[in-house]
């Protein structure tokens, strides 16, 4: 079967570690930690299902790594098959890839960061100075400039996240409040069972839940921007890299006016797709300084303050809306609340009733 037509509303154009001194092997168990995602994910966003290895190579080069690669079946006589789904979250691409036979992939240097998580089976990534055996409890993290060879076991399905270098550089500079002098280099193996990776995995679950809920429809810009920033920001905090020590140092204290200025921006423009990095830049402090100042002044984070303001705007809009021509889902989505169940719980906790009841008043 040839490649399927991609959803026209997704915005994805298919045409178009820390250093390791000596080789090492990293491995893990075989129990999936991404909430039982042993089934096909992103099913509503198909890219290709093909038995043509040339066609599969072309699709991978265009959509996922966007780098030249060579691919071959590892054992003579095995039948090649590839199945791929993908969804763009802003500049970040999440994809589901499965091969039906043992595959060997050789690639040149990549210009993106890649986090590859087997949902079943395993892969072995061999680079110049390390080896990562990736399983459902250990992800492989590739930094830009990484070239190597990937051995992909037959039947292995992977969830792959591709992030632009510019996005991570920009977010890290906002955290540090300075320009960085060298590229971010992540440790090549990520333990998916450690407490430090939990926030990043939670962000990834939100993406997959939203994709399932949207069922092939385009995502709202507020939702897209929020999810994109969560994936970028939480990866910087979850996986060790050459700036981790500096990133974990206490932030400089920010003046109280910084919180007032930030709150004024959020109050005046709650419909803007704010990220904490952009907000920190607007008030001329680092992300860490802004978060610390908010915690001291309000007891909550800037993004939680924004969520409360958006909940208030949602409540007002539901009170004024015509229930015959308006749905709770569309109003919630307009204010960046993607997952209906989570939104309903937040709304009930804040206003003491279900959003549908407010709409029917």
């Amino acid at each position: 079967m040839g490649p399927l037509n991609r959803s026209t509303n997704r915005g994805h154009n298919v045409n178009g570690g820390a250093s390791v001194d000596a080789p090492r092997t990293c491995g893990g168990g075989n129990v999936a930690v991404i909430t039982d995602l042993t089934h096909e994910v992103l099913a509503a966003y198909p890219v290709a299902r093909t038995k043509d290895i040339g066609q599969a190579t072309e699709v991978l080069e265009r959509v996922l790594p966007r780098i030249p690669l060579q691919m071959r079946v590892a054992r003579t006589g095995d039948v090649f098959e590839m199945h791929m789904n993908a969804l763009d979250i802003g500049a970040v691409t999440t994809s589901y890839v499965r091969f039906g036979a043992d595959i060997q992939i050789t690639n040149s240097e990549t210009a993106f960061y890649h986090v590859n998580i087997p949902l079943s089976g395993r892969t072995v990534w061999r680079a110049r100075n390390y080896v990562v055996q990736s399983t459902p409890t250990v992800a492989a993290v590739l930094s830009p400039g990484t070239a190597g060879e990937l051995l992909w076991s037959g039947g292995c399905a992977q969830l792959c996240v591709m992030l632009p270098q510019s996005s991570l550089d920009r977010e890290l500079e906002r955290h540090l409040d300075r320009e960085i002098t060298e590229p971010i280099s992540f440790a090549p193996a990520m333990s998916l069972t450690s407490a430090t990776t939990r926030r990043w995995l939670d962000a990834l679950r939100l993406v997959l839940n939203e994709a399932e809920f949207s069922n092939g429809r385009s995502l709202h810009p507020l939702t897209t921007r929020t999810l994109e920033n969560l994936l970028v920001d939480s990866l910087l905090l979850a996986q060790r890299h050459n700036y981790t020590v500096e990133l974990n140092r206490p932030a400089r204290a920010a003046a109280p006016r910084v919180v007032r200025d930030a709150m004024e921006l959020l109050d005046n423009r709650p419909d803007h797709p704010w990220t904490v990095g952009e907000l920190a830049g607007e008030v001329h402090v680092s992300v860490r300084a802004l978060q610390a100042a908010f915690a001291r002044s309000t007891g909550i984070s800037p993004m939680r303050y924004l969520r409360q303001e958006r909940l208030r705007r949602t409540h007002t809009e539901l009170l004024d809306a015509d229930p015959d021509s308006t749905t709770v889902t569309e109003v919630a989505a307009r204010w960046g609340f993607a997952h209906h169940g989570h939104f309903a719980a937040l709304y009930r906790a804040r206003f003491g009733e279900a959003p549908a009841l407010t709409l029917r008043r």
Side-chain angles (χ1 to χ4, degrees):
M1 180 185 297
L4 302 173
N5 290 330
R6 306 206 44 190
S7 175
T8 57
N9 60 17
R10 299 189 317 104
H12 199 317
N13 180 10
V14 295
N15 298 314
S19 61
V20 182
D21 295 330
R24 62 178 62 183
T25 300
C26 309
N30 57 7
V31 179
V33 297
I34 308 291
T35 57
D36 300 324
L37 290 180
T38 54
H39 61 286
E40 178 184 347
V41 295
L42 301 173
Y45 301 88
V47 175
R49 180 173 288 178
T50 181
K51 293 184 177 180
D52 185 321
I53 196 168
Q55 190 175 65
T57 300
E58 181 183 357
V59 169
L60 286 173
E61 287 180 345
R62 289 177 179 174
V63 179
L64 188 58
R66 299 174 188 165
I67 52 174
L69 58 86
Q70 295 179 335
M71 183 162 54
R72 69 178 183 85
V73 176
R75 289 198 300 264
T76 303
D78 283 359
V79 177
F80 176 85
E81 182 181 4
M82 185 190 80
H83 185 183
M84 183 177 187
N85 307 322
L87 170 65
D88 284 337
I89 305 296
V92 176
T93 298
T94 57
S95 62
Y96 168 90
V97 184
R98 178 175 56 79
F99 291 107
D102 290 355
I103 301 297
Q104 180 179 353
I105 301 174
T106 304
N107 70 273
S108 60
E109 294 184 353
T110 175
F112 294 81
Y113 292 91
H114 294 260
V115 183
N116 298 333
I117 306 171
L119 303 178
S120 59
R122 71 184 188 116
T123 64
V124 179
W125 171 257
R126 293 192 175 99
R128 181 180 59 184
N129 57 351
Y130 60 82
V131 177
V132 179
Q133 180 175 289
S134 189
T135 71
T137 58
V138 177
V141 183
L142 283 62
S143 297
T146 302
E149 178 184 79
L150 178 65
L151 301 177
W152 190 307
S153 66
C156 173
Q158 282 206 113
L159 188 58
C160 307
V161 183
M162 183 179 73
L163 309 96
Q165 180 176 354
S166 59
S167 296
L168 276 90
D169 287 352
R170 181 174 61 250
E171 192 62 25
L172 178 62
E173 289 177 345
R174 286 170 170 170
H175 274 271
L176 301 178
D177 196 25
R178 70 171 182 85
E179 291 186 3
I180 60 175
T181 56
E182 59 183 53
I184 303 165
S185 181
F186 286 102
M190 174 193 283
S191 170
L192 300 175
T193 58
S194 71
T196 56
T197 61
R198 188 172 303 148
R199 187 180 176 212
W200 190 76
L201 292 176
D202 287 344
L204 189 53
R205 289 186 185 98
L206 282 175
V207 169
L208 300 177
N209 288 340
E210 173 58 20
E212 184 173 355
F213 180 76
S214 298
N215 195 29
R217 299 189 302 272
S218 59
L219 307 187
H220 191 278
L222 282 181
T223 301
T224 298
R225 184 70 181 275
T226 298
L227 293 175
E228 177 187 9
N229 181 251
L230 276 174
L231 288 171
V232 170
D233 187 73
S234 56
L235 181 61
L236 287 170
L237 300 174
Q239 182 66 358
R240 187 167 182 82
H241 52 80
N242 50 330
Y243 291 94
T244 294
V245 173
E246 182 180 357
L247 193 58
N248 288 337
R249 289 174 186 156
R252 296 193 306 270
R257 63 169 178 77
V258 167
V259 176
R260 294 195 299 270
D261 291 345
M263 292 172 69
E264 184 177 355
L265 285 169
L266 297 178
D267 291 342
N268 291 338
R269 300 168 61 197
D271 56 340
H272 179 75
W274 289 106
T275 68
V276 67
E278 182 184 7
L279 184 63
E282 287 288 330
V283 295
H284 310 294
V285 296
S286 72
V287 169
R288 294 175 302 151
L290 178 61
Q291 290 173 327
F294 247 86
R296 286 195 305 270
S297 298
T298 68
I300 59 175
S301 68
M303 292 301 98
R304 186 171 179 182
Y305 179 87
L306 176 60
R307 186 178 70 186
Q308 290 179 349
E309 178 60 21
R310 287 175 176 170
L311 273 173
R312 190 183 70 79
R313 300 296 180 103
T314 304
H315 178 70
T316 300
E317 189 169 336
L318 288 174
L319 282 173
D320 295 339
D322 180 357
D324 294 329
S325 59
T326 306
T327 67
V328 170
T329 299
E330 65 182 282
V331 174
R334 195 153 48 239
W335 288 104
F337 297 102
H339 191 274
H340 183 73
H342 183 56
F343 161 71
L346 291 172
Y347 189 95
R348 184 183 291 275
R350 176 75 182 274
F351 301 108
E353 65 181 18
L357 183 59
T358 305
L359 179 61
R360 290 196 298 268
R361 283 187 185 180

